[in-house]
RNA sequence: GCGGAGUUAGCUCAGUGGUAGAGCUUCUGCUUUACACGCAGGGGGUCGGGGGUUCGAAUCCCUCACUCCGCACCA
């Protein structure tokens, strides 16, 4: 037992060593035991080529806390990890790398490029896993999955084919969000709207065969090259006569019809005339279909103008073309006005490129039939979203959901299992067909589009466990219990897992969803590279240790925003050091370990010992309760407060006289040591899910039965440890000590000056207890004598503490002006409170309506205040 | 425009009907042999404004102001 600890806690020395041991011993892997209740959770798979950022650190810390807590609580626990192939993001990364080498992916061709991406994945894919290990994540790495693994790919194909056969996947020509940089379609949720300061151009369109003109407004003049109509409202008197006539597009010099469309046009807005570009605007597209308008594509998939835009513009980038068009408009005197205009512009969330609405042939999921059961599951409580306030957002989105564009014109991802033969037949099948089932042709090519990454991650909770095969893992660990993830992917990921899970496994993919907030900087600003306020979790771990980072994240994990600053982590690194030093102190005295320490006979213990065990017990109850409710902040705070402010600040100080043989018998000493060992053991186990490394390092030295704290049982509250009476007495003693310390400073005495304390105990029992523990008062309040029961001398400082009248006798009688003022403030404050209580207690309504314990409490407080005021007033007498 | 969240100590935030809290910051004192990443003590808030319900409101209701976040966007 007598093992020396270093004076300061040095996380770097121990963390990686302990993690390696845990992994080697297989503690992260659940056992094949169907008897024990099981608990399972799947990781939100990070991008395979990504690096761990602070958001990952948060979400994985929270998962690890729950997982370690459940594992220690006796559940057969699985935390299944893995990575996501992250279609666009990964392709972009590799593409950029190739470009740096002067190679274009188009030079390589699809097959070679995909090989390169796999090489990249092999080379860097393990990095984020290693970083999760640095954080302490107790994932079962033997079950690690990747969304492009064979098994998961099979699940993807199975789901695709099933949805297709059920008519829920279709291929159609439609207007989609197109990213000209990534050259792929993206879904609605991948479009982000950014407020921009742009220009609104007012352009005159001449009416054909007349000298009239109408004015239309647009933010995108380049699209006028693709206009195929002007539209007005059918009820609009101003333009009614123009319906059916033609207008001439300036610059393009082309005739277009003027149509009536009362859906597209709002009479009240602007001039009441709208230019219609069916090939490059969603609303215009719809209007075009209604009015049988031509679709003229003037912008291609790279964002450049097409031949249809005219020879002068062909090949120009769309924004260059805009400038050129505006110049021409000016020359032709067709530009009536240019206004500053603020509006929201859709960009691709991944690359910030402005989205070009484009008509193209894509694959879609008909979503409504999938959404309905997913709405019901949350409404009926089958799936619980925590914090509950997110449910409204979930419903709002799910009830207004649009069909999901799932095809992507990328090379990296699950290729859509649709096959075309030379005769134009299409086959959708799980296994690659050797010949066309319809015509027997063996000239078969597979669809070149791949699936949206979220299509495969939507299957994650069951595809990772072997679905559609009925594997033992699926039977044991599915459905999972909890999903912990950021609220920012509620629609992208959570909603889709719910929809797919319900449809394909017949059960909810998880019972509860905990949505954590977003980590921001200390002023609530979003972290971004441009702002330079990014905190790299690896730097933080290097500097303060993983435990400090984890504890900081946990204690701030409530709410939408989590303000994080290095300074805060520093504060909890100090907590780790505190734990270290308290343990170091304890170990200087401990002479038995947990194995040979024997049981504690609670009835033999003194009040101080019963008090600390009672406090620990209450803390244990709170931590378990808070963890059940995902209140990571309250749970971590409860342990922090107990360990530092009750165990270290008070209990250790109180047992020092006993440990150092200044007070008490050998038997008292033995009991105190046993209780210290007990408190350390339980506190460390309680804290382990939050701070796995330091707790393991110390706990191993306490000599428990289990080979690791990871597999030791999690403490649960035991009623027998609760002791209200001990708490009442120790509260009184600590309050008296605080009062003496307080008055000492106010009167200008030094810690070396010693006084005499008088206590007026009301019952013989209390009196005897104060006598027993007078050594505590003497040591901690630095007194020379405690007198219980005798009259308090007139010249002493009078006060009432925890219901006991006390007097402090100082070596000199002089009272400073400051002290008198302080006493006066005290009296006034008490009088004010008393006045309030007096008024309350004569109020019939209060006496009748308030609960009895409140009334009683008020009476007791009233009595105490009266007494206290009387005593304090004595201090003012000369 | 629709939906949601928020406004509590200098800062960041807990606190869903019964005497206003934490951490950090700040100030004062302390080489008390576990820890200066420490110990002890102090200061600091009309709980965004107004109204209502109630014996009693930071807490429930209404209203106004401001902030933030989704979703949908009118050229």
């Amino acid at each position: 037992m007598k093992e020396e600890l270093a004076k300061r806690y040095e996380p770097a020395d121990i963390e990686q060593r302990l993690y390696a041991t845990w992994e080697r011993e297989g503690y992260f892997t659940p056992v094949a035991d169907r008897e024990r209740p099981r608990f399972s959770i799947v990781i939100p798979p990070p991008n395979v080529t990504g690096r761990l950022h602070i958001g990952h650190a948060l979400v994985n810390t929270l998962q690890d806390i729950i997982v370690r807590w459940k594992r220690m609580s006796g559940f057969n626990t699985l935390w299944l990890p893995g990575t996501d192939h992250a279609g666009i993001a990964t392709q972009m990364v590799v593409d950029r790398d190739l470009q740096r080498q002067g190679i274009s992916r188009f030079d390589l061709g699809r097959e070679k490029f995909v090989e390169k991406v796999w090489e990249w994945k092999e080379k860097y894919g393990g990095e984020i896993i290693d970083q999760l290990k640095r954080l302490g994540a107790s994932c079962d790495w033997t079950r690690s999955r990747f969304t492009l693994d064979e098994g998961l790919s099979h699940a993807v194909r199975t789901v695709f084919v099933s949805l297709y056969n059920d008519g829920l996947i279709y291929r159609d020509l439609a207007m989609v969000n197109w990213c000209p940089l990534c050259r792929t379609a993206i879904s609605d949720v991948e479009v982000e709207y950014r407020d921009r300061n742009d220009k609104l151009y007012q352009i005159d369109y001449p009416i054909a065969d007349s000298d009239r003109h109408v004015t239309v407004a647009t933010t995108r003049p380049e699209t006028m090259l693709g206009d195929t109509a002007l539209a007005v409202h059918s009820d609009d008197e101003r333009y009614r006569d123009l319906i059916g006539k033609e207008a001439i597009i300036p610059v393009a010099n082309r005739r277009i019809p003027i149509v009536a469309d009362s859906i597209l046009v709002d009479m009240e807005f602007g001039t009441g005339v709208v230019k219609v570009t069916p090939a490059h605007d969603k609303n215009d597209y719809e209007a075009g279909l209604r009015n049988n308008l031509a679709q003229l594509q003037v912008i291609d998939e790279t964002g450049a103008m097409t031949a249809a835009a005219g020879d002068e513009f062909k090949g120009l980038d769309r924004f260059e073309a805009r400038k050129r068009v505006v110049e021409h408009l000016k020359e032709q005197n067709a530009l009536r006005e240019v206004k500053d205009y603020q509006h929201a512009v859709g960009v691709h969330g991944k690359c910030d490129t402005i989205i070009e609405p484009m008509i193209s042939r894509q694959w879609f999921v008909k979503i409504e039939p999938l959404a309905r059961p997913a709405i019901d599951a949350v409404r009926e409580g089958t799936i619980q979203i925590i914090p509950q306030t997110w449910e409204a957002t979930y419903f709002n989105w799910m009830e207004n959901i649009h069909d999901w564009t799932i095809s992507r014109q990328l090379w990296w991802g699950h290729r859509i299992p649709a096959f075309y033969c030379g005769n134009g037949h299409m086959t959708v099948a799980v296994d690659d067909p050797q010949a066309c089932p319809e015509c027997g042709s063996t000239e078969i090519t597979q669809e070149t589009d791949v699936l949206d990454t979220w299509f495969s991650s939507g299957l994650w909770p069951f595809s990772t466990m072997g679905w559609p095969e009925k594997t033992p893992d699926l039977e044991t660990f599915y459905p999972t219990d909890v999903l912990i993830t950021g609220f920012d992917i509620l629609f992208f990921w959570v909603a889709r897992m719910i929809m797919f899970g319900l449809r394909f496994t017949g059960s909810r993919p998880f019972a509860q969803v905990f949505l954590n907030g977003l980590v921001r900087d200390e002023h609530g600003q979003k972290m971004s590279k441009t702002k330079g306020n990014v905190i790299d979790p690896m730097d933080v771990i290097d500097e303060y240790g993983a435990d400090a980072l984890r504890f900081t994240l946990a204690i701030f994990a409530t709410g939408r925003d989590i303000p994080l600053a290095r300074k805060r982590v520093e504060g909890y690194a100090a907590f780790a050091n505190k734990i270290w030093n308290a343990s170091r102190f304890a170990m200087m005295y401990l002479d038995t370990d947990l194995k040979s320490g024997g049981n504690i006979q609670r009835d033999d213990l003194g009040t101080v010992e019963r008090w600390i065990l009672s406090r620990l017990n209450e803390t244990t109850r709170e931590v378990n309760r808070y963890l059940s409710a995902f209140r990571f902040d309250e749970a971590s705070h409860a342990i922090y407060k107990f360990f530092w402010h009750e165990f270290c600040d008070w209990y250790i100080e109180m047992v020092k006289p006993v440990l150092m043989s200044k007070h008490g018998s050998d038997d008292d000493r033995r009991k105190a040591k046993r209780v210290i060992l007990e408190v350390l053991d339980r506190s460390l186990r309680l804290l382990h899910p939050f701070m796995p490394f330091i707790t393991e390092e110390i706990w191993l030295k306490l000599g428990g039965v289990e080979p690791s704290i990871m597999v030791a049982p999690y403490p649960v509250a035991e009623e027998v440890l609760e002791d209200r009476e001990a708490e009442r007495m120790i509260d009184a003693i600590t309050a008296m000590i605080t009062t003496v310390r307080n008055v000492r400073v106010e009167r200008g005495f030094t810690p070396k000056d010693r006084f005499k304390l008088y206590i007026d105990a009301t019952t013989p029992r209390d009196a005897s207890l104060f006598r027993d523990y007078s050594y505590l008062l003497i040591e901690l309040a630095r007194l020379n004598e405690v007198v219980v029961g005798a009259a308090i001398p007139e010249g002493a400082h009078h006060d009432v503490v925890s219901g006991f009248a006390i007097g402090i006798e100082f070596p000199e009688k002089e009272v400073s002006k400051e002290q008198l003022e302080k006493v006066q403030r005290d009296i006034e404050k008490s009088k004010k409170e008393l006045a309030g209580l007096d008024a309350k207690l004569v109020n019939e309504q209060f006496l009748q309506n308030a609960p009895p314990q409140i009334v009683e409490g008020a009476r007791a407080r009233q009595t105490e205040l009266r007494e206290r005021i009387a005593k304090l007033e004595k201090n003012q007498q000369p």
Side-chain angles (χ1 to χ4, degrees), chain A residues 36 97 161 212 219 233 318 380 448 559 561 592 651 715 832:
Chain A
R36 277 197 295 161
D97 184 63
V161 171
R212 278 184 70 185
T219 55
H233 197 284
R318 50 192 169 147
E380 288 158 11
T448 52
D561 297 332
T592 81
Y651 182 71
K832 202 172 157 194

Side-chain angles (χ1 to χ4, degrees), chain A residues 381-586:
Chain A
T382 310
I383 295 171
Q384 194 190 359
I385 299 180
I386 303 161
Q388 206 189 349
T389 170
W390 287 107
E391 284 184 1
T393 307
Y394 174 83
F395 291 135
N396 195 285
W397 189 71
M398 289 293 263
E399 281 159 9
N400 299 294
I401 198 165
H402 300 296
D403 283 1
W404 174 16
T405 316
I406 49 170
S407 44
R408 297 289 178 275
Q409 287 64 51
L410 302 174
W411 291 350
W412 177 242
H414 298 101
R415 213 158 146 180
I416 287 175
F419 302 85
Y420 309 101
C421 78
N423 297 321
H425 301 128
M426 184 175 81
T427 311
V428 170
V430 173
D431 298 311
D432 295 8
Q434 299 306 309
C436 174
E438 280 188 61
C439 64
S441 164
T442 52
E443 272 184 43
I444 290 176
T445 52
Q446 186 172 356
E447 166 68 65
T448 52
D449 287 357
V450 300
L451 285 165
D452 181 1
T453 305
W454 297 104
F455 191 92
S456 55
S457 33
L459 314 177
W460 185 253
F462 45 97
S463 66
T464 51
M465 294 190 191
W467 186 93
E469 261 40 80
K470 277 206 172 91
T471 61
D473 267 9
L474 197 69
E475 282 179 24
T476 310
F477 295 111
Y478 188 84
T480 68
D481 292 272
V482 186
L483 180 86
I484 299 181
T485 191
F487 68 77
D488 49 326
I489 51 176
L490 178 61
F491 306 144
F492 285 100
W493 192 44
V494 180
R496 282 148 183 184
M497 280 191 290
I498 295 175
M499 292 191 277
F500 282 158
L502 290 172
R503 184 167 186 95
F504 291 101
T505 69
S507 60
R508 59 188 182 190
F510 28 72
Q512 294 178 305
V513 182
F514 177 77
L515 296 171
N516 62 259
L518 227 57
V519 181
R520 295 169 180 274
D521 76 3
E522 55 191 314
H523 301 296
Q525 298 289 310
K526 222 174 192 169
M527 285 188 187
S528 75
K529 280 180 194 148
T530 44
K531 280 184 204 149
N533 60 352
V534 173
I535 295 179
D536 181 342
M538 290 304 124
D539 288 352
V540 177
I541 290 174
D542 287 341
E543 195 171 350
Y544 302 106
D547 288 335
L549 174 63
R550 291 169 59 113
F551 202 82
T552 311
L553 291 171
I555 211 158
F556 282 99
T558 292
R560 261 183 93 103
D561 297 332
I562 296 156
L564 188 73
R566 284 178 166 272
K567 187 146 202 176
R568 306 206 178 271
V569 184
E570 200 182 313
Y572 296 105
F575 179 49
N577 191 53
K578 187 76 182 174
I579 294 161
W580 186 259
N581 272 290
S583 307
R584 188 160 78 96
F585 171 79

Side-chain angles (χ1 to χ4, degrees), chain A residues 131-324:
Chain A
Q131 291 177 320
L132 282 168
K133 292 180 179 180
R134 287 290 310 279
L135 189 68
S138 62
C139 303
D140 179 8
W141 301 110
T142 67
R143 282 179 167 85
S144 193
R145 297 286 183 269
F146 177 52
T147 45
L148 281 177
D149 282 349
E150 203 179 317
L152 279 74
S153 301
H154 179 64
V156 165
R157 279 195 168 201
T158 305
V159 165
F160 187 94
V161 171
S162 166
L163 288 174
Y164 180 79
N165 290 340
D166 291 344
L168 296 182
I169 282 181
Y170 61 92
R171 188 175 184 234
D172 200 4
L173 203 57
M175 175 143 287
V176 295
N177 307 297
W178 184 270
C179 176
L181 183 71
C182 303
R183 296 192 198 171
T184 179
I186 59 170
S187 70
D188 292 349
V189 275
E190 287 165 277
V191 180
E192 290 178 14
Y193 290 89
R194 304 268 157 82
D195 277 334
R196 282 174 58 109
N197 292 310
D198 272 332
K199 304 282 182 202
L200 184 70
Y201 302 87
Q202 310 250 14
I203 303 164
D204 289 341
Y205 280 52
I207 304 301
D209 312 318
S210 84
D211 49 8
R212 278 184 70 185
H213 68 260
V214 290
T215 305
V216 302
T218 180
T219 55
R220 304 193 58 194
E222 72 279 14
T223 61
M224 66 191 287
L225 302 172
D227 284 353
T228 53
L230 291 185
V232 297
H233 197 284
S234 53
D235 297 341
D236 197 332
E237 299 292 344
R238 295 171 294 177
Y239 306 115
R240 184 170 280 169
D241 60 316
L242 294 180
I243 297 169
K245 295 219 164 80
E246 287 187 320
I248 298 166
I249 309 173
V251 183
N253 233 349
R254 187 155 48 76
R255 282 178 174 236
I256 49 171
I258 298 171
V259 300
D261 191 306
S262 307
I263 296 172
L264 181 68
V265 183
D266 175 358
M267 272 165 67
E268 312 295 319
F269 191 88
T271 58
V273 188
V274 182
K275 64 190 267 314
V276 187
T277 323
H280 296 287
D281 181 280
K282 215 169 138 195
N283 291 315
D284 292 3
Y285 173 73
E286 307 282 337
L289 295 180
R290 282 193 296 269
N291 296 285
N292 282 317
L293 300 176
Q295 297 166 344
L296 187 61
Q297 188 183 345
V298 290
I299 300 170
D300 69 13
E301 66 275 10
T302 68
M305 307 308 285
T306 65
D311 287 344
E312 198 197 333
F313 300 100
K314 185 188 166 206
L316 273 185
D317 176 78
R318 50 192 169 147
F319 299 107
E320 276 304 311
R322 179 178 303 176
K323 285 182 199 157
R324 192 75 66 87

Side-chain angles (χ1 to χ4, degrees), chain A residues 15-127:
Chain A
E15 289 184 351
Q16 301 198 41
R17 188 189 78 227
L18 290 176
Y19 195 91
T21 309
W22 292 333
E23 197 177 357
R24 194 178 57 240
E25 294 296 323
Y27 296 146
F28 302 153
T29 303
V31 291
D33 178 357
R34 298 270 183 87
E35 296 305 306
R36 277 197 295 161
R38 61 101 178 122
F39 181 84
S40 67
I41 184 166
V42 291
I43 202 170
N47 292 359
V48 66
T49 57
R51 284 180 56 85
L52 197 84
H53 57 65
I54 198 75
H56 291 124
L58 171 70
V59 72
N60 290 296
T61 292
L62 300 185
Q63 287 171 91
D64 198 42
I65 289 170
I66 295 292
V67 163
R68 284 178 185 268
W69 169 55
K70 286 289 181 180
R71 193 185 287 120
M72 288 176 76
S73 297
F75 291 83
N76 189 26
T77 302
L78 170 65
W79 182 9
L80 196 156
T83 46
D84 192 298
H85 68 279
I88 293 179
T90 305
Q91 176 161 329
M92 266 167 63
V93 167
V94 177
D95 205 15
R96 254 200 303 259
D97 184 63
L98 287 172
Q99 276 169 23
R100 269 194 289 270
Q101 300 171 40
I103 307 168
S104 149
R105 74 169 186 270
F106 300 103
D107 298 340
L108 281 180
R110 181 170 187 147
E111 210 166 309
K112 280 267 161 52
F113 178 78
V114 170
E115 265 173 41
K116 285 275 176 208
V117 185
W118 276 106
E119 280 171 27
W120 185 278
K121 186 252 174 191
E122 291 313 317
K123 203 166 163 191
Y124 301 106
E127 193 175 351

Side-chain angles (χ1 to χ4, degrees), chain A residues 630-699:
Chain A
F630 302 98
R631 288 303 303 261
F632 299 96
D633 57 334
E634 295 281 11
S636 43
H637 183 248
I639 308 177
Y640 179 93
K641 187 177 165 234
F642 168 78
F643 197 90
W644 198 318
H645 298 303
E646 295 185 308
F647 180 57
C648 291
D649 287 353
W650 287 107
Y651 182 71
I652 287 184
E653 294 307 316
M654 285 175 167
V655 289
K656 272 182 182 172
V658 177
L659 290 179
M660 294 171 179
S661 305
K662 284 164 85 176
H663 185 271
S665 63
D666 284 349
D667 193 44
D668 292 335
R669 229 171 326 283
R670 190 186 54 74
K671 282 186 229 164
K673 287 179 194 176
R674 183 64 190 88
V675 169
I676 288 184
L677 186 62
E678 183 76 11
V679 173
L680 262 188
D681 170 40
R682 283 182 181 245
S683 313
L684 290 171
R685 283 188 279 138
L686 211 52
L687 185 57
H688 178 260
F690 302 85
M691 293 187 147
F693 295 110
I694 190 174
T695 50
E696 173 78 319
E697 180 70 6
I698 300 167
W699 190 84

